[in-house]
Amino acid sequence: MPRTLLLLCLALLLSDGGPLQALAATPQLAQAERKVLPEDASPAAGRLEVTARCDPLRPGESVAHFSWSPVPGPEHRQRLDVTGLRTGFADGDFETIAELPASQQSVEWRRAEAGINYYWRVLTLTDAGWVPSPVARFEAPTCPVDYERPQDERPEGAVPQQPKQQ
């Protein structure tokens, strides 16, 4: 910890770019900017699974539950990347939806668009860089919405329809 503080103070003294540029010189932030290694590198997370379903509490919304086996060891950080494009990871067109501690094995995501095939991976941070898991795929479900507006959202003078009795 004292070494990090010393580096930060030294960077502040020598920096013309202000405190934000100085922070980029700290080891923790430099570590996060490491490159992504090839898919066959190890150690990588494994046993990737996803369950995508309609959220029973939020009509019209889906939820994807991702789970995996993380790389053992408390020193490894993880992140989960998602893309809607088959070549998204290679092209850099993806979203990191979560940065996670080493022990975490699952995460939920609620931003999937209906009917889209998504590709996802878990990356593990090592001294050499980010080690990607194999890429997995899932299709976001289409979640229908069928509900009656609450009383306070109805247009003025609207009368709710009563079910017909037979």
Side-chain angles (χ1 to χ4, degrees), residues 5-6 15 55 69 145:
L5 184 57
L6 180 64
S15 172
D55 189 332
S69 295
V145 178

mmCIF file of all heavy atoms in Angstrom, residues 5-6 15 55 69 145:
data_model
loop_
_atom_site.group_PDB
_atom_site.id
_atom_site.type_symbol
_atom_site.label_atom_id
_atom_site.label_comp_id
_atom_site.label_asym_id
_atom_site.label_seq_id
_atom_site.Cartn_x
_atom_site.Cartn_y
_atom_site.Cartn_z
ATOM 1 N N LEU A 5 0.898 4.506 -2.815
ATOM 2 C CA LEU A 5 0.757 5.907 -2.441
ATOM 3 C C LEU A 5 1.957 6.720 -2.927
ATOM 4 O O LEU A 5 1.809 7.828 -3.438
ATOM 5 C CB LEU A 5 0.606 6.027 -0.920
ATOM 6 C CG LEU A 5 0.348 7.417 -0.368
ATOM 7 C CD1 LEU A 5 -0.903 8.012 -1.003
ATOM 8 C CD2 LEU A 5 0.202 7.362 1.128
ATOM 9 N N LEU A 6 3.145 6.160 -2.794
ATOM 10 C CA LEU A 6 4.350 6.823 -3.266
ATOM 11 C C LEU A 6 4.307 7.050 -4.770
ATOM 12 O O LEU A 6 4.625 8.134 -5.264
ATOM 13 C CB LEU A 6 5.590 6.011 -2.880
ATOM 14 C CG LEU A 6 6.933 6.584 -3.322
ATOM 15 C CD1 LEU A 6 7.191 7.916 -2.646
ATOM 16 C CD2 LEU A 6 8.042 5.604 -3.025
ATOM 17 N N SER A 15 3.251 15.131 -13.260
ATOM 18 C CA SER A 15 2.191 15.153 -14.272
ATOM 19 C C SER A 15 1.754 16.576 -14.601
ATOM 20 O O SER A 15 1.556 17.398 -13.722
ATOM 21 C CB SER A 15 0.999 14.358 -13.760
ATOM 22 O OG SER A 15 -0.081 14.514 -14.639
ATOM 23 N N ASP A 55 -39.207 -12.240 -17.183
ATOM 24 C CA ASP A 55 -39.239 -11.902 -15.760
ATOM 25 C C ASP A 55 -40.686 -11.922 -15.276
ATOM 26 O O ASP A 55 -41.514 -11.166 -15.782
ATOM 27 C CB ASP A 55 -38.624 -10.514 -15.552
ATOM 28 C CG ASP A 55 -38.427 -10.169 -14.093
ATOM 29 O OD1 ASP A 55 -39.175 -10.680 -13.233
ATOM 30 O OD2 ASP A 55 -37.511 -9.385 -13.801
ATOM 31 N N SER A 69 -17.868 -21.798 -13.881
ATOM 32 C CA SER A 69 -16.888 -22.221 -12.882
ATOM 33 C C SER A 69 -15.689 -21.282 -12.998
ATOM 34 O O SER A 69 -15.007 -21.282 -14.021
ATOM 35 C CB SER A 69 -16.432 -23.656 -13.136
ATOM 36 O OG SER A 69 -17.500 -24.533 -12.969
ATOM 37 N N VAL A 145 -46.604 -8.721 -23.228
ATOM 38 C CA VAL A 145 -47.178 -7.913 -22.155
ATOM 39 C C VAL A 145 -48.679 -7.905 -22.368
ATOM 40 O O VAL A 145 -49.164 -7.515 -23.425
ATOM 41 C CB VAL A 145 -46.633 -6.465 -22.192
ATOM 42 C CG1 VAL A 145 -47.264 -5.632 -21.102
ATOM 43 C CG2 VAL A 145 -45.135 -6.471 -22.083
#
